[in-house]
Structures are given as structure tokens and as C-alpha cells.
Amino acid sequence: MEWHITLKLFATLRAYIPADAEQYAIAPGTTVADIVRDLDIPVKDAKLIFINNIRRELETPLQDGDRLGIFPPVGGG
Amino acid sequence: MENPDLSAQLAQAARDARRPDGTGYRSLSSASVDRLALRFDLSHNQIEQAGLAIGILPERYARNMTSLNLQDQQRLLGSTACIVGVGGLGGSVAETLARIGVGHLRLVDGDHFEDSNLNRQRFARAATIGKPKVDAARESIAAINPAVEITTWAENLSTANGESIVAGADIAIDCLDTLSARQALQTVCRRRAIPMVSAAVAGVSGQLTVIYPEDEGLAALYGDLASAPDRGAEKTLGNLPFTVNLLASLECSEAVKVLLGRRETLRGRLLIFDLTDLSFDMIQLAAS
């Protein structure tokens, strides 16, 4: 079985956006941490994680159709 | 203010005026505020508040109406906002709050202007390079709205000096550029029970939230604060002026809502945007 999510990466993480981010295939049980690892995103930059616009954790498992966003720490002013 | 003589003079100085929609109001010119402040030996802020109390609107706030009413305007004139960091965000926030009529501004920044500030910082000009940021800001704001009473600290806020700086303020506005400084501000705001608006920029991205003393606060944005880096993606992406000004405007909008006790602030939520594809996302911070 294959699920699909929408993947959105912000700011410096845009460099890691895969070509199929709009329909990113995952296996059931995949967590945010799995995706971060598979895309070679530095874990220290995956600070702010949100799924369907609610803040979640690295360990959170994804569901079919989820919209995952990852925002790095930003601090400029 | 109970001063029948002043009330009579205000009533005499006021003129009938109309808004673009045709509705009428009593208007007080800036020149009249100047003159009455001098005559009664009162501050511009006091004269304007005395006018508002009897239904006379200082004309400089005419276009705030009717999104703000006379009571709102009076409340803003009596409010104190502590702007921490007077660089990109802070310069624009200070100017905007001065123009809308927040009557007391505290400006906190230990830095001097340098060339690399010129791309975005409101009060950085060729002539202010090398000057303390708070001094340049004070001069400009006084020239924009003399009813704003300005207090400056030419030092960076820390947990040691911060409590006395924020004490008694109605709101603190985080216009800082390091996580350690933001953390210090949050700490002193918690100790003094002061709400804060917090924003941060990186390139064409930004984030914004409103934090009350009892909230999870910055840890919801940056994870474990002790291990988080002091600077973020802006190290690589820089700080673009339109991103900074957009966020500064949004900070002011939230600050005014907090000052006026309005609902529907960003408390408990985080606005994240990326201008690359014009995406604006509202994130619920507390998992439901």
C-alpha cells in the first residue's frame, strides 16, 4: 500500500524539496523523522513541524493525504 | 483631565470636518495642539487626550477612524509599548506605532547603525551611520508625532536589566535578531506579566506570534531553547526589506489588538509565510 502526502519545506529547507513534493509517496507508518532522514534534511533544521496546520513532532506518524510543513529556525530582525 | 479652561480652549480650537464618507467629526489641527501645549504647559499627549475625552479628534489621527473610535485612540495614547531591538523590525514598528498614536514608546537597543543596516532599517541613513540606533529613532519619531513620549535604553536587554525596562509596559514587541535575546525578553516579560508580540525573518520568509506569560512561548517555535542555535536561516538568506516591513506591520496590527483588548490575536497560533510562492500558513501551536 502506498500513501501520498503534500510536502512543503520553507526558507533554507527549500533546497531539499523533492520533485514530487505535491504527491510525495510514503509507506504507512512513516514518521516525519523518516522523511527528514530520507531527504537528507539536517535534523537540527527541522525544528518547526506542522501537519495539516497543527504543530507536531519528529516522531509523529503521517496519514494518507496529510500536508506536512517543515520550517527551520529563523531569527532575523 | 478636569480643566474647564482647557476644555473651553479645545472646543474653541476645534473645527467641523468630514470624513471621505461624508460623516462629520470635530477636528483639532496639529498647530492647535502645539499652541495649547505651550499655553497650558502640558505635553502634546495630554492635550490630545483632553481633546479626545470631550469628543475632539486630533486631525493627525483622522484616517484611523472609524477602524479605531475615539475611545480606542485615547486608550492607545495612554498605552506603553516596549520595542526591543530598533533595527529592521523595530524601526518600522516604532514609526508605525507612533503614527497610529501609541502614546508611550520605550526603545531598547545597544547597537549603532552600520552600512549593512541600510537595506532595511527605517532609521539607518547615511547621516546616522555610527550613531546609536535609539538616538536616531527618538529624533525621527519626535519629528513625526510629538504626542509620543519616548524613553530610550542604549543597551541590549538582558535578564539582568530587562525587568526594570519592561515593568509597567502594556506590551513588549520582540524586534530582536538572536534567540538568546528573545529568550531574555520572554523571561522578563513572564516575570512582569507582560504580553509580547514576537516575529522573526529569514530572506523572504517570516513568522509571527503573540505570547502571554503563561504560554509555552518560544519553545513552541524553536524547540529546546538551551540547545537551539542563536541565529537561524537568516545567516544564509539575509533580511530583505519588504519581508521585514511586512512582518513589522503585522506585529503592529497584533500589538494594537492586544492594547485594545480585541480578540482574535495570534495567541496560540503562528503565522508562517514564504513570499517565494506567496504561501501564508496559520499553525496551531498547541496540539489539540
Side-chain angles (χ1 to χ4, degrees):
Chain A
M1 190 165 51
E2 198 176 72
W3 287 353
H4 292 90
I5 63 165
T6 307
L7 181 60
K8 190 151 167 41
L9 304 175
F10 292 83
T12 41
L13 302 184
R14 293 185 69 88
Y16 300 91
I17 297 176
D20 54 354
E22 289 293 318
Q23 274 280 64
Y24 190 74
I26 59 164
T30 299
T31 65
V32 178
D34 294 332
I35 292 173
V36 166
R37 189 195 56 232
D38 291 349
L39 294 176
D40 290 324
I41 297 170
V43 174
K44 67 173 173 52
D45 290 342
K47 278 291 183 217
L48 188 58
I49 292 157
F50 48 99
I51 300 173
N52 305 329
N53 288 53
I54 298 174
R55 181 169 66 102
R56 300 295 184 193
E57 310 294 331
L58 269 174
E59 298 74 31
T60 307
L62 290 148
Q63 305 297 322
D64 190 26
D66 275 352
R67 186 169 174 274
L68 169 64
I70 308 177
F71 205 83
V74 301
Chain B
M1 196 172 308
E2 298 298 325
N3 183 336
D5 194 25
L6 174 58
S7 295
Q9 295 272 327
L10 281 163
Q12 198 180 9
R15 297 283 175 265
D16 283 322
R18 291 200 180 279
R19 299 187 182 91
D21 70 0
T23 57
Y25 62 98
R26 296 286 288 165
S27 160
L28 187 67
S29 70
S30 292
S32 295
V33 176
D34 287 343
R35 185 169 48 77
L36 292 172
L38 200 63
R39 178 174 307 171
F40 287 90
D41 194 25
L42 292 171
S43 69
H44 285 63
N45 188 299
Q46 289 170 313
I47 296 294
E48 290 186 357
Q49 291 221 43
L52 286 162
I54 56 171
I56 295 171
L57 176 67
E59 183 64 18
R60 66 163 51 248
Y61 308 121
R63 292 299 177 273
N64 290 347
M65 307 293 126
T66 55
S67 295
L68 302 181
N69 63 31
L70 294 179
Q71 289 73 34
D72 293 335
Q73 196 68 63
Q74 202 177 351
R75 191 156 166 183
L76 290 183
L77 272 174
S79 295
T80 300
C82 187
I83 300 169
V84 187
V86 188
L89 291 171
S92 287
V93 165
E95 173 167 341
T96 300
L97 294 185
R99 287 190 188 276
I100 202 170
V102 174
H104 305 267
L105 296 180
R106 299 180 187 174
L107 308 176
V108 189
D109 199 318
D111 287 346
H112 296 61
F113 281 117
E114 47 192 83
D115 284 350
S116 64
N117 301 150
L118 283 164
N119 80 321
R120 69 191 183 285
Q121 301 195 10
R122 182 62 190 84
F123 303 119
R125 301 193 305 271
T128 60
I129 299 302
K131 258 186 121 167
K133 292 183 177 181
V134 292
D135 290 352
R138 178 210 289 273
E139 284 169 26
S140 294
I141 293 167
I144 289 167
N145 187 353
V148 178
E149 294 175 0
I150 305 161
T151 314
T152 60
W153 281 265
E155 55 189 306
N156 292 325
L157 183 141
S158 67
T159 50
N161 66 7
E163 273 193 76
S164 59
I165 292 174
V166 301
D170 299 295
I171 193 166
I173 305 176
D174 164 11
C175 300
L176 292 157
D177 61 359
T178 65
L179 182 55
S180 52
R182 287 191 165 85
Q183 217 179 325
L185 177 60
Q186 176 174 269
T187 299
V188 299
C189 283
R190 281 181 172 158
R191 288 185 192 151
R192 290 290 176 165
I194 294 164
M196 68 186 249
V197 180
S198 182
V201 181
V204 296
S205 300
Q207 63 185 31
L208 173 77
T209 190
V210 173
I211 300 171
Y212 277 70
E214 58 270 37
D215 297 345
E216 183 184 3
L218 296 171
L221 281 53
Y222 296 99
D224 177 31
L225 295 176
S227 65
D230 206 29
R231 289 179 190 270
E234 73 283 0
K235 273 194 306 189
T236 302
L237 302 176
N239 298 297
L240 292 179
F242 44 75
T243 316
V244 168
N245 286 327
L246 173 58
L247 263 176
S249 291
L250 292 170
E251 283 198 291
C252 291
S253 169
E254 291 304 296
V256 167
K257 282 192 243 173
V258 171
L259 291 173
L260 296 179
R262 291 185 179 169
R263 293 176 193 283
E264 300 194 332
T265 68
L266 275 171
R267 184 181 187 185
R269 298 183 294 168
L270 179 75
L271 177 71
I272 285 180
F273 65 77
D274 191 327
L275 299 179
T276 309
D277 56 1
L278 285 162
S279 68
F280 286 72
D281 283 277
M282 191 79 86
I283 311 305
Q284 200 175 325
L285 288 175
S288 55

